[in-house]
Amino acid sequence: MQNTNSNIIDRLFASFTDLERAIDGAKETLAKRESVPEEIVKRLGSYDGILAKQRALASTLCGHIKQGNWDEVTRHVGLINGLSAMIRDDARAILSALSTTTNDEVSDDESNFC
């Protein structure tokens, strides 16, 4: 069971690294775009803090697993998953807003050709 727990924890921390890369990539992509609303940049910046909180919770989770404190394991997994869902849902909203803005700009440009 110890090896299984270690595997799960390794994958959890690897997922944080993947998420961090995705956040950094999104920041780089937005930095290259013109006229990105400041609010979106701030929202994306808040993901770093959320990710740090997830890592801290995961470290605490390891201790609870070692102690066999399964109620706390369950609670920490729920908190980590909730923070991930928050990032995912907000990122979708940002992409949707940016997509709408881009489509509106294209529509305005296309209307000039008519």
Side-chain angles (χ1 to χ4, degrees):
M1 184 71 173
Q2 178 64 27
N3 195 22
T4 301
N5 288 341
S6 178
N7 237 358
I8 292 169
I9 296 300
D10 289 345
R11 288 193 348 238
L12 177 62
F13 278 98
S15 74
F16 296 149
T17 301
D18 292 343
L19 179 57
E20 184 174 41
R21 284 188 198 122
I23 292 168
D24 290 342
K27 287 178 183 177
E28 289 174 19
T29 299
L30 287 180
K32 294 175 186 173
R33 287 187 68 168
E34 293 182 22
S35 67
V36 174
E38 183 64 28
E39 177 62 25
I40 289 179
V41 174
K42 285 181 184 177
R43 284 167 61 182
L44 197 58
S46 73
Y47 297 171
D48 294 328
I50 296 168
L51 185 58
K53 182 66 176 173
Q54 285 181 302
R55 283 189 167 123
L57 286 166
S59 293
T60 304
L61 172 71
C62 292
H64 291 303
I65 290 172
K66 287 178 186 174
Q67 294 171 357
N69 189 348
W70 303 116
D71 288 339
E72 281 301 305
V73 168
T74 301
R75 188 175 81 81
H76 278 69
V77 168
L79 291 170
I80 292 166
N81 287 339
L83 291 170
S84 292
M86 190 169 66
I87 290 173
R88 182 186 62 241
D89 293 347
D90 191 58
R92 283 184 182 149
I94 288 172
L95 288 173
S96 177
L98 290 174
S99 176
T100 301
T101 301
T102 302
N103 288 339
D104 289 345
E105 290 170 4
V106 169
S107 297
D108 290 344
D109 291 344
E110 288 173 352
S111 66
N112 290 336
F113 290 115
C114 294

